[in-house]
Amino acid sequence: GIPILDGKYIATMDMWPIEAKEFNRNYTFYENLKAGKFTTTKCKGCGLVSFPPRVLCPECYSENLEYIELPKRGKVICLSEETKGVPLGFDSPLIHAFVEMEPSSPVRKVLTKIVNCAAGELKVGAEVQFVTFEIPAIPLDKGKQGIVMAERYFFAFEPVKK
């Protein structure tokens, strides 16, 4: 990190979503991540499954959506790996991959970060699994309750250990 910034919250450098119910209508997705669940939304009107989760169905414009669980495993179909010039706030290697989900999944492919993987280790065809990780908490003004630190979680995939 950058020593002068240690312990400071720099809002303009925060790449992660504000997950609090007060600021994000998709907060249920993040609560599910905290519980270790990989979910998305399904329209109760037309049945369309969208990923990432939506607050409005892109097909019929309904707000009548429900959360459904997705499979937690898939196979890498292509990947990108950065070892130099990684953006501030990310560790090297920074690996992203398109993951083809299990055949039973209503979501066919997911673009995701790959974690717990050394540079050069991930290959096309590798089996990966869903994981969640904690990201830095943010200060959230709760009015009379004062400022609280809001926990945040996000998801990635990691290689399946054989």
Side-chain angles (χ1 to χ4, degrees):
I2 301 171
I4 197 167
L5 298 179
D6 283 350
K8 307 276 191 262
Y9 174 69
I10 313 298
T12 58
M13 294 175 64
D14 192 342
M15 302 153 266
W16 305 101
I18 297 175
E19 300 173 6
K21 184 176 186 176
E22 296 86 351
F23 295 102
N24 189 324
R25 287 178 59 194
N26 279 338
Y27 70 93
T28 303
F29 173 70
Y30 301 106
E31 288 178 353
N32 290 338
L33 288 179
K34 186 176 179 179
K37 297 178 184 174
F38 190 35
T39 60
T40 195
T41 49
K42 178 179 180 178
C43 180
K44 290 182 179 180
C46 70
L48 182 74
V49 175
S50 298
F51 187 85
R54 314 291 174 142
V55 295
L56 182 73
C57 176
E59 186 68 29
C60 70
Y61 307 113
S62 171
E63 291 185 24
N64 191 12
L65 306 173
E66 65 182 334
Y67 277 85
I68 62 168
E69 285 203 50
L70 295 173
K72 294 183 177 183
R73 287 190 176 220
K75 289 192 188 255
V76 173
I77 55 175
C78 69
L79 65 113
S80 164
E81 187 175 284
E82 290 179 62
T83 56
K84 304 286 186 216
V86 174
L88 186 64
F90 290 99
D91 295 325
S92 178
L94 179 57
I95 305 169
H96 289 96
F98 267 110
V99 173
E100 185 171 47
M101 302 305 290
E102 295 175 351
S104 63
S105 176
V107 174
R108 301 297 303 148
K109 296 177 181 81
V110 174
L111 176 61
T112 183
K113 182 178 178 182
I114 303 292
V115 296
N116 304 323
C117 185
E121 185 179 293
L122 191 66
K123 305 291 182 214
V124 170
E127 190 174 7
V128 291
Q129 63 191 2
F130 167 85
V131 293
T132 60
F133 59 94
E134 194 169 355
I135 55 177
I138 60 167
L140 191 61
D141 190 345
K142 293 275 197 169
K144 291 183 180 182
Q145 294 175 327
I147 294 177
V148 298
M149 293 304 287
E151 292 180 329
R152 298 188 297 170
Y153 291 82
F154 209 69
F155 75 95
F157 279 72
E158 67 181 358
V160 172
K161 306 292 184 215
K162 297 188 179 193

